[in-house]
Amino acid sequence: MSTNRLDRTVYDALMRAMGKLSHCFSDGDIPYIQYRFVENVFARCVPGALNISRADNSFDVVVKDATAAYGVGVKTFVGPHNFAPMGNHTKTEKVAEFTKDSQRGDFGKLSYEQLIQEVATLRNRRVNSDAIAQGVTLDQSYYHCLVRLPHRMFVHEESYDLIDLPSIVPCDSMGTELPRYQSNTKTSAMVYFKDSRNTYAYNRSKNTLYKTFDLGDLLTGQAIDVMQIADPYALLLQLEQFGTTGPITSISTEAVTEALTQTLASVSPTVVQDPRPYVVLPLFSVSKYDRYGKYFVEKASGLNQWNAGGRARKFGEAYLSIPQWIHRQFPGFFPPRNVTMQLQLPNDRVVTAKVCQQNNKALMSKHNADLMAWLFSMIDGGLEEAQQRFNPLTRAKNRPYTYDDLLAIRKDAVAVLKNNDGTFSIEVMPLGSYETFKAHFENDNATALRFDELLEEVATQTEERT
């Protein structure tokens, strides 16, 4: 848990300051704190933390230093209505969405037991994929929750668990085990289940997975007390003049105003601008579609070059495809053909790579399997699992990657960024990133976006679709 590393002095001050402005958004007594603000403040207050929430990742923040590397799911929500020593201590909150999965599959035809197993399997696969991609360990990862109650807030943290598939059993909304799954589809879209550690609910109409958080520790936790300013708009008008017309004058009490303005003035920008040049490369075919008009992954090239015929192959023989329009639009971005480059992976490993093949269509690591060991592990949840796709005796028994494998982990592209020192970095990209990137160059008025702006645009489109 981060409690020992989280700077609670700064964290609490920033939360109190923002909570004072709650009446800008709500007339109630519960402080209003936007979830993006909590993510940014948490990343600011933990050494070695990086906010990756825009990347449609299982984790909102990754923390890396000399001793640890872990992921954090940062959440904020209103606490239980009757929260008290003898009242309710639990709250069920969204932890994952499966809209695209339900659209591509037959979720509606699955039995409740099959549906829950499918959802739990996809959830685990996605979390494992993100942990491998970012180079973090799950046993140290956790949820950080800012729980909001009338006039106060609390921090709650608990481990970030995979769903224990063998121990899944049906239950009711209170977590009481049942002999079978509820089947009355007219009264509720929710299917409740639990494993050996947690209780969950799956909403069939919203394709959303919820987790129950046990908040009993809040009864003895360190409260962040908040007294909302009655007229925050007056303060905002004076904040707008701060630094241009002189110091801010008192609104209600000088002490409150000074404390608030000093805290807000100390906040750095919430989005770190990334001016590095970059391109986005698809992990799927951009020249062909399957017979249903959908994306697909070539069976014997790109990610599946190891499945090609003609000679004996080794698993890991593969490359990232570089569409020709990228070479035309970004001349000189990559080194010349067969000139090596240093490529840093999200797990901090650096591999030697190069552009090669006819028309400079491929980006490969010098030792062919180096790049793909990371990528294939990310897709399959581990290198050993990935290697089971390859049969050294007969190509007919190979299991090449498909677009469904990319949908399952919600990633179908990578971004290659050029660093100031001439080296390169690679980042995994969420669904829709390549299309969004390409759309900005499909007419005579090309509009290049910074990398952080692209992530923001993709995240906004994802939220609108769901």
Side-chain angles (χ1 to χ4, degrees):
M1 300 297 178
S2 76
T3 306
N4 295 330
R5 309 188 72 215
L6 177 66
D7 187 338
R8 283 297 300 265
T9 300
V10 176
Y11 181 94
D12 290 11
L14 289 170
M15 293 305 170
R16 278 195 301 270
M18 185 58 71
K20 292 177 186 292
L21 301 177
S22 293
H23 287 327
C24 287
F25 316 100
S26 169
D27 294 330
D29 296 330
I30 297 177
Y32 178 89
I33 306 288
Q34 212 269 348
Y35 70 96
R36 292 293 191 198
F37 181 78
V38 182
E39 294 166 356
N40 284 312
V41 170
F42 178 86
R44 176 187 176 90
C45 295
V46 175
L50 176 66
N51 187 342
I52 61 169
S53 59
R54 297 300 198 277
D56 192 22
N57 204 286
S58 298
F59 310 108
D60 300 298
V61 173
V62 294
V63 182
K64 296 182 181 180
D65 60 23
T67 61
Y70 53 86
V72 184
V74 180
K75 304 185 69 63
T76 181
F77 49 82
V78 175
H81 176 68
N82 58 338
F83 185 78
M86 300 302 293
N88 183 22
H89 301 160
T90 63
K91 188 69 187 297
T92 300
E93 292 291 325
K94 180 177 73 173
V95 293
E97 292 181 348
F98 298 89
T99 301
K100 286 186 174 293
D101 303 284
S102 65
Q103 292 172 347
R104 71 181 173 86
D106 258 340
F107 273 31
K109 296 181 180 179
L110 297 176
S111 68
Y112 281 13
E113 183 174 3
Q114 292 170 329
L115 174 64
I116 295 308
Q117 285 291 325
E118 177 72 6
V119 167
T121 300
L122 285 171
R123 167 65 172 170
N124 287 355
R125 183 174 180 181
R126 197 162 298 161
V127 173
N128 272 322
S129 170
D130 291 334
I132 291 171
Q134 297 298 327
V136 302
T137 58
L138 278 176
D139 59 351
Q140 297 185 68
S141 299
Y142 58 89
Y143 285 103
H144 170 89
C145 306
L146 180 72
V147 184
R148 311 192 310 276
L149 294 162
H151 302 301
R152 67 196 195 280
M153 299 176 283
F154 292 89
V155 169
H156 167 78
E157 294 178 345
E158 61 180 72
S159 60
Y160 202 120
D161 299 321
L162 294 176
I163 300 175
D164 183 30
L165 300 180
S167 67
I168 290 177
V169 294
C171 65
D172 61 18
S173 60
M174 302 301 293
T176 303
E177 184 175 343
L178 299 174
R180 63 184 64 85
Y181 287 100
Q182 298 282 0
S183 60
N184 191 342
T185 58
K186 294 182 179 179
T187 59
S188 175
M190 304 292 279
V191 181
Y192 296 92
F193 67 99
K194 65 179 182 179
D195 65 4
S196 57
R197 295 182 289 265
N198 298 289
T199 300
Y200 300 89
Y202 183 72
N203 188 308
R204 293 174 294 118
S205 62
K206 295 182 179 180
N207 304 304
T208 301
L209 178 67
Y210 297 83
K211 177 185 179 300
T212 298
F213 291 86
D214 186 348
L215 307 176
D217 60 327
L218 269 57
L219 296 170
T220 57
Q222 175 183 337
I224 306 173
D225 295 316
V226 178
M227 184 60 68
Q228 291 97 320
I229 295 175
D231 184 13
Y233 298 105
L235 174 60
L236 293 177
L237 288 173
Q238 294 197 34
L239 280 175
E240 193 275 333
Q241 301 173 12
F242 184 63
T244 59
T245 61
I248 297 176
T249 59
S250 176
I251 292 177
S252 53
T253 67
E254 184 176 353
V256 170
T257 303
E258 181 179 356
L260 176 61
T261 54
Q262 286 182 354
T263 304
L264 291 179
S266 70
V267 180
S268 60
T270 57
V271 177
V272 178
Q273 295 186 357
D274 193 338
R276 289 178 295 174
Y278 70 96
V279 298
V280 178
L281 307 181
L283 300 179
F284 53 89
S285 173
V286 296
S287 59
K288 302 176 184 178
Y289 298 89
D290 67 13
R291 59 196 179 110
Y292 302 106
K294 298 180 180 180
Y295 293 141
F296 78 108
V297 178
E298 295 279 5
K299 290 184 177 181
S301 61
L303 297 185
N304 291 320
Q305 188 182 34
W306 54 270
N307 189 48
R311 61 173 174 82
R313 300 280 179 174
K314 294 181 180 180
F315 186 71
E317 288 187 44
Y319 60 88
L320 301 176
S321 298
I322 307 175
Q324 288 303 302
W325 75 267
I326 288 182
H327 286 303
R328 294 192 299 269
Q329 187 69 48
F330 300 92
F333 176 84
F334 290 107
R337 181 175 175 178
N338 290 327
V339 175
T340 59
M341 53 191 273
Q342 296 302 298
L343 181 65
Q344 182 174 0
L345 308 180
N347 61 8
D348 296 331
R349 184 183 179 191
V350 177
V351 301
T352 300
K354 61 183 179 180
V355 173
C356 54
Q357 296 196 19
Q358 186 178 10
N359 297 322
N360 297 332
K361 72 174 185 178
L363 176 61
M364 307 174 68
S365 53
K366 182 178 179 180
H367 300 288
N368 198 237
D370 286 352
L371 175 59
M372 293 304 158
W374 163 76
L375 186 59
F376 291 169
S377 296
M378 179 193 69
I379 296 174
D380 286 321
L383 185 57
E384 183 176 346
E385 291 82 357
Q387 289 172 332
Q388 294 176 8
R389 292 178 175 273
F390 180 69
N391 189 304
L393 300 179
T394 172
R395 177 169 170 257
K397 292 186 178 181
N398 285 345
R399 293 187 296 111
Y401 289 99
T402 69
Y403 192 73
D404 279 353
D405 291 313
L406 304 180
L407 283 176
I409 61 170
R410 295 176 67 88
K411 309 176 191 72
D412 65 358
V414 296
V416 180
L417 301 96
K418 183 180 288 187
N419 303 318
N420 293 334
D421 61 1
T423 63
F424 292 78
S425 299
I426 191 168
E427 297 289 344
V428 189
M429 299 296 286
L431 300 176
S433 299
Y434 174 75
E435 296 89 334
T436 301
F437 173 70
K438 187 173 186 294
H440 284 275
F441 300 95
E442 288 188 322
N443 52 54
D444 294 333
N445 298 312
T447 54
L449 297 178
R450 292 193 316 268
F451 185 59
D452 55 278
E453 292 175 329
L454 175 72
L455 287 175
E456 183 67 33
E457 183 171 330
V458 174
T460 299
Q461 292 172 350
T462 300
E463 290 173 356
E464 291 175 348
R465 286 194 297 267
T466 56

